[in-house]
């Protein structure tokens, strides 16, 4: 694989990994696969692109609005949908369908608020570095660096942070955690808000790199989910590994087969993973 | 009081001159032009430029400002003494929606339809034109299929078709010694329609396609496609991407990869200033068969009027020119026919020859006939090259006609 393609693959894989990390944290906190993750990322990205298109708008304000929107939607998902449903009836399928409905509501809100044409956001950092004869935008370097930093912070938080350690307990067995007196509701809420924050950052990092529209969320949701499935849930770094693998396969198929093959190859990959190793590459080890 | 004769004469002359200068404003029921635009799909960027032109030029028609076209259409404001108004519907560059939206425009009173969305949309929408016997103009579309049967009886185009443009490309490539082409397109219906026409024309001229790459919507870069193009070893890369962000990403990727392959594109690029802005210096060196020449006085007069309204830095592209020409043709045809009836307007336009145009090389004119609903002539195309981020250099190797 050429160096330029490898660089491109890392940039894209980092993005998929971030979305996969959002799925990972939400799943650990609530036990539910949140397919609205892509919609949080899309809304944040489109909001940032829309605000930053106007050269007089402050970048700081655009960033705050974008990330806040994603955090708000994540909060609505937990406190507005999942918790009320859990109090009335234990129905996982119902919860997933409610989240899918929210996904489409966010899609339409984005269309109403920002229009339907694809938008490209302003770069957070301009300029290009030439490394080994290859030009790499500083924006792309920033995106990868921020992604690595987020993964590192989340890994440290889960291992050593107060709420991170409680999240591990809640995620493993919520009833036991509640019996032990852990503040389950607060732990879940913190994890969900962190998920929203991660999705918001993913959106605003993606906006300067690819034109986003209200329809972009579906591909984010699917690719982020495949990254999670491929990587597994054994470690917070697993979605990053999964994201890199998805991106590598995507790039390789476009390079060696053709751009048209991308969707077919990814679908075949997902089916293969579900059939042969549905638990993913990294699994949770349970002591005997 | 006794009026002295010289005073009376001067007063009468002044009143007469004032009367000439202030022609009666148009009155009565407005003539409604229904516009199919794209506000949200792949054609948004260039459709929006066309709509800006339509809004301004309709106002200019109602004020009686006809610029160089006054010689052909007169100076009476409005059309046949009636004011003109435009109503708009968004088909999202989705041909499945175009028919519905066209019917809606007609239900809302449109007597003439303008299509300024993608060619794929117009190919569907023209069915309604034939069915309802309403005159339709597709001034900005380049697909030759629009004016070919079936359902071509009531639709006319202004911009040189891709077939005419393709003969210009073929001659340019012949002069440069190019034989092997690499195509790059996006997923939109318009790109497919336009690409098919060019592929067919180039193949008939003996040019070989060595690569045919597709860019998906929302692609973050086009590195994989460009590496395949480089590996295929073509003489030239031909850009048929319709979406502005995707096109800009293409040039940024070309610059990042330091790809040296010569690049040619279509007037989709010159019609979308957003591409130039997003691509920046990465677009320099690109050659395009465009439709505006810097020394055409008609173009410059229209450009000045446009920039007076939209600002001195407002990009002026061929889209505004062809929309102006279409409106002037409608005025001429309606006043000649004495009606907005579709069949009469059609007959009037089919009888129009050497109509002064605002685009193309100096002296370019539009001519139609019963079996020729595309008015563009051989002087409609101009080969330009991008420099300093704008299509500012007239290519000195070859110009058509």
């Amino acid at each position: 694989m050429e160096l330029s393609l490898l660089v491109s693959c890392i940039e894209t894989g980092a993005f998929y990994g971030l979305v996969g990390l959002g799925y990972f944290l939400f799943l650990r906190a609530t036990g539910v696969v949140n397919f609205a993750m892509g919609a949080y990322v899309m809304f944040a990205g489109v909001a940032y692109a829309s605000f930053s298109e106007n050269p007089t708008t402050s970048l700081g304000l655009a960033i705050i609005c974008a990330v806040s929107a994603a955090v708000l939607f994540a909060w609505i998902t937990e406190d507005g949908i999942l918790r009320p449903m859990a109090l009335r009836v234990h129905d996982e399928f119902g919860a997933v369908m409610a989240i899918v409905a929210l996904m489409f509501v966010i899609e339409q809100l984005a269309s109403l608020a920002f229009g339907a044409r694809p938008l490209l956001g302003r770069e957070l950092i301009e300029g290009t570095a030439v490394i080994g004869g290859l030009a790499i935008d500083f924006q792309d370097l920033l995106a990868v660096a921020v992604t690595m930093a987020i993964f590192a912070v989340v890994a440290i938080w889960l291992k050593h942070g107060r709420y991170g350690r409680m999240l591990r307990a809640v995620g493993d067995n919520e009833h036991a955690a509640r019996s032990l007196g852990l503040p389950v509701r607060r732990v879940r809420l913190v994890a969900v808000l962190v998920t929203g924050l991660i999705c918001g950052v993913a959106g605003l990092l993606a906006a300067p790199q690819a034109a986003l529209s209200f329809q972009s969320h579906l591909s984010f949701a699917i690719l982020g989910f495949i990254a999670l499935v491929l990587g597994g849930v054994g470690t917070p770094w697993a979605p990053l590994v999964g994201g890199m693998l998805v991106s590598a396969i995507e790039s390789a198929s476009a390079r060696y087969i053709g751009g048209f093959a991308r969707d077919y190859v990814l679908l075949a990959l997902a089916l293969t993973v579900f059939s042969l190793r549905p638990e993913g590459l990294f699994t949770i080890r349970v002591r005997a | 009081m006794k009026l002295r004769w010289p005073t009376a004469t001067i007063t009468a002359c002044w009143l007469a001159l004032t009367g000439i200068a202030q022609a009666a404003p148009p009155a009565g029921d407005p003539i409604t032009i229904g516009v199919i635009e794209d506000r949200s799909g792949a054609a948004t960027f260039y459709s929006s430029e066309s709509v800006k032109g339509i809004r301004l030029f309709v106002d200019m028609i109602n004020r009686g400002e006809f610029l160089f076209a006054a010689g052909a259409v007169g100076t009476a404001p409005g059309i046949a003494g009636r004011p003109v108004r435009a109503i708009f519907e968004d088909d999202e560059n989705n041909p499945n929606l175009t028919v519905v939206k066209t019917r809606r425009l007609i239900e809302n009173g449109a007597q003439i339809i303008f299509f300024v969305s993608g060619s794929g949309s117009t190919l569907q929408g023209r069915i309604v034109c034939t069915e309802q016997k309403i005159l339709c103009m597709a001034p900005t579309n380049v697909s030759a299929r629009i004016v070919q049967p079936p359902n071509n009886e009531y639709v006319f185009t202004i911009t040189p078709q891709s077939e005419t443009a393709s003969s210009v490309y073929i001659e340019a490539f012949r002069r440069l010694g190019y034989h092997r082409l690499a195509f790059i397109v996006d997923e939109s219906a318009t790109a497919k329609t336009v690409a098919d026409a060019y592929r067919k024309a180039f193949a008939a001229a003996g040019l070989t396609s060595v690569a045919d790459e597709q860019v998906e919507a929302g692609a973050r870069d086009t590195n994989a496609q460009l590496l395949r193009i480089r590996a295929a070893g073509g003489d030239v890369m031909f850009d048929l991407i319709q979406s502005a962000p995707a096109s800009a990403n293409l040039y940024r990727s070309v610059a990042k990869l330091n790809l040296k392959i010569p690049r040619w594109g279509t007037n989709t690029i010159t019609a979308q200033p957003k591409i130039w802005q997003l691509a920046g210096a990465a677009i320099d060196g690109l050659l395009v068969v465009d439709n505006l020449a810097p020394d055409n006085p008609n173009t410059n007069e229209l450009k000045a009027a446009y920039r007076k309204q939209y600002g001195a830095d407002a990009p002026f592209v061929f889209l505004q020119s062809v929309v102006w020409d279409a409106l002037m043709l409608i005025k001429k045809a309606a006043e000649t026919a004495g009606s907005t009836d579709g069949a009469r307007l059609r007959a009037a336009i089919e009888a129009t020859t050497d109509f002064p145009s605002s685009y193309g090389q100096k002296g370019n004119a539009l001519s139609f006939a019963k079996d020729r609903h595309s008015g563009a002539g051989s002087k409609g195309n101009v080969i330009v090259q991008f420099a300093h981020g704008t299509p500012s250099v007239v290519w000195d190797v070859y110009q058509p006609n």
Side-chain angles (χ1 to χ4, degrees):
Chain A
M1 187 185 269
E2 291 94 337
L3 180 62
S4 57
L5 206 57
L6 184 62
V7 168
S8 173
C9 170
I10 291 172
E11 290 162 8
T12 308
F15 171 71
Y16 295 157
L18 262 187
V19 181
L21 181 63
Y23 273 108
F24 172 86
L25 281 175
F26 201 96
L27 184 63
R28 291 289 282 171
T30 65
V32 173
V33 176
N34 180 358
F35 289 109
M37 206 64 61
Y40 303 165
V41 175
M42 173 276 293
F43 197 95
V46 170
Y48 172 76
S50 179
F51 292 136
S52 67
E53 244 193 352
N54 183 345
T56 61
T57 304
S58 144
L59 265 188
L61 181 64
I63 290 170
I64 289 169
C65 290
V67 175
S68 301
V71 172
L72 176 67
F73 286 127
W75 174 65
I76 289 172
T77 308
E78 164 64 5
D79 267 5
I81 295 177
L82 291 179
R83 239 176 47 80
M85 283 190 76
L87 287 173
R88 283 198 299 274
V89 60
H90 186 69
D91 179 6
E92 283 183 14
F93 179 73
V96 170
M97 292 315 298
I99 288 174
V100 169
L102 175 66
M103 175 181 82
F104 287 111
V105 166
I106 296 173
E107 176 197 89
Q108 291 306 308
L109 277 174
S111 167
L112 284 169
F114 307 113
R117 69 182 174 91
L119 298 169
L120 203 58
R122 209 190 312 167
E123 287 180 325
L124 294 163
I125 175 170
E126 292 179 1
T128 307
V130 179
I131 301 171
L134 184 64
I136 304 176
D137 289 338
F138 285 138
Q139 173 68 37
D140 295 337
L141 289 171
L142 175 72
V144 173
V146 167
T147 300
M148 294 302 176
I150 288 174
F151 270 93
V153 165
V154 166
I156 293 169
W157 177 61
L158 285 174
K159 190 160 184 191
H160 301 291
R162 181 163 169 251
Y163 278 94
R165 291 165 64 189
M166 284 196 282
L167 175 61
R168 284 162 54 199
V170 168
D172 285 343
N173 191 326
E174 186 176 313
H175 294 299
R178 191 172 280 116
S179 304
L180 289 170
L182 295 183
V184 170
R185 185 187 165 204
R186 204 184 316 149
V187 169
R188 278 175 60 136
L189 186 61
V190 166
V192 162
L193 294 179
V194 168
T195 300
L197 184 66
I198 290 171
C199 288
V201 170
L204 75 95
L205 289 176
Q209 295 172 319
L212 303 182
S213 74
F214 72 100
Q215 293 164 321
S216 303
H217 68 99
L218 279 173
S219 68
F220 296 165
I222 291 169
L223 290 164
F225 181 63
I226 295 177
L228 177 76
V229 167
L230 205 54
V233 294
T235 154
W237 293 97
L240 182 63
V241 173
M244 291 295 174
L245 278 173
V246 170
S247 175
I249 292 166
E250 190 185 48
S251 297
S253 65
R255 170 66 181 92
Y256 297 109
I257 305 175
F260 68 93
R262 172 183 169 262
D263 290 341
Y264 303 114
V265 170
L266 285 174
L267 187 60
L269 169 69
L271 288 172
T272 305
V273 169
F274 284 133
S275 312
L276 298 179
R277 197 176 168 87
E279 68 275 21
L281 292 171
F282 298 93
T283 54
I284 296 175
R285 285 195 202 136
V286 177
R287 268 176 278 178
Chain B
M1 185 177 79
K2 199 174 173 183
L3 199 64
R4 290 174 189 246
W5 186 83
T7 308
T9 307
I10 292 167
T11 306
C13 288
W14 180 80
L15 284 171
L17 285 170
T18 307
I20 291 169
Q22 295 177 358
D29 291 336
I31 290 180
T32 303
I33 296 177
V35 181
I36 292 288
E37 61 169 329
D38 175 18
R39 278 181 231 143
S40 51
T44 299
F45 287 105
Y46 59 85
S47 186
S48 61
E49 296 295 324
S50 308
V51 165
K52 279 166 71 174
I54 290 172
R55 291 188 190 279
L56 170 63
F57 302 150
V58 162
D59 284 345
M60 285 173 68
I61 289 172
N62 289 331
R63 292 197 299 263
E65 295 169 18
F66 298 104
L67 310 177
F68 66 89
V73 304
T75 54
I79 293 180
R82 292 163 63 185
V84 182
R85 69 172 187 137
I87 57 176
F88 300 85
E89 285 287 344
D90 175 16
D91 79 338
E92 302 171 27
N93 198 29
N94 180 349
N96 294 324
L97 284 181
T98 311
V99 170
V100 167
K101 297 297 179 97
T102 307
R103 289 194 208 286
R104 188 181 296 174
L105 284 170
I106 296 170
E107 282 164 17
N108 289 338
Q111 293 137 310
I112 296 154
I113 300 290
F114 270 43
F115 292 105
V116 295
S117 183
S119 291
S121 294
T122 306
L123 283 167
Q124 282 295 99
R126 63 182 185 156
I127 294 170
V128 179
C129 308
T130 302
E131 185 188 277
Q132 302 288 327
K133 295 184 174 44
I134 280 209
L135 185 87
C136 295
M137 302 292 276
T140 61
N141 293 145
V142 301
S143 170
R145 282 176 52 201
I146 291 171
V147 293
Q148 291 166 0
N151 298 310
N152 65 325
E153 297 89 341
Y154 283 85
V155 66
F156 294 82
T157 60
I158 306 284
T159 304
Q161 295 167 346
S162 50
E163 281 180 349
T164 315
S166 62
S167 63
V168 176
Y169 287 110
I170 289 166
E171 178 58 23
F173 294 162
R174 187 191 69 77
R175 291 187 185 219
L176 292 169
Y178 295 161
H179 300 288
R180 294 150 53 84
L181 271 63
F183 292 92
I184 186 158
V185 303
D186 61 17
E187 295 174 319
S188 63
T190 299
K192 286 182 176 41
T193 307
V194 171
D196 284 344
Y198 279 116
R199 283 195 201 96
K200 197 172 153 190
F202 290 162
L207 295 166
T208 311
S209 167
V210 299
D212 205 331
E213 298 301 321
Q214 184 171 294
V215 176
E216 66 272 13
R220 300 159 69 78
D221 63 46
T222 53
N223 285 358
Q225 291 87 345
L226 288 171
L227 288 169
R228 284 175 61 82
I229 286 174
R230 185 172 70 180
D235 297 321
V236 58
M237 182 175 77
F238 195 61
D239 171 15
L240 288 162
I241 294 174
Q242 301 295 305
S243 155
S247 201
N249 250 344
L250 173 71
Y251 295 106
R252 281 155 60 166
S253 295
V254 168
K256 279 198 237 179
L257 291 175
N258 203 21
L259 215 59
K260 296 298 183 197
I261 186 170
R263 298 160 290 149
W264 281 69
T266 65
N267 57 6
T268 294
I269 299 170
T270 46
Q272 299 186 70
K274 190 78 179 173
I275 297 178
W276 324 343
Q277 178 203 336
L278 292 172
I283 205 170
D284 286 351
L286 174 72
L287 283 149
V288 171
V289 174
D290 192 24
N291 308 104
L292 291 186
D295 64 344
N296 185 333
N298 293 352
T299 307
N300 292 333
E301 192 179 359
L302 186 63
K303 188 193 302 186
Y306 183 85
R307 285 183 168 163
K308 190 175 165 192
Q309 171 72 16
Y310 288 112
D313 293 329
F316 183 82
V317 297
F318 81 91
L319 298 166
Q320 288 98 2
S321 278
V322 296
V323 157
W324 167 268
D325 289 351
L327 286 167
M328 294 300 107
L329 274 167
I330 293 293
K331 176 173 166 70
K332 176 79 176 168
E335 289 175 357
T336 302
S339 166
T340 55
D341 171 72
R344 289 192 185 177
L345 283 175
R346 178 183 66 179
I349 292 182
E350 285 172 348
T352 302
T353 56
D354 294 322
F355 191 85
S357 161
S358 65
Y359 77 91
Q361 300 172 39
K362 195 171 165 185
N364 185 43
L366 304 172
S367 294
F368 299 87
K370 200 165 163 42
D371 58 350
R372 186 173 186 272
H373 281 202
S374 169
S378 56
K379 283 190 171 182
N381 289 308
V382 183
I383 303 178
V384 295
Q385 187 164 34
F386 274 80
H388 308 294
T390 61
S392 50
V393 175
V394 177
W395 201 43
D396 57 6
V397 173
Y398 159 66
Q399 291 293 336
N401 204 38

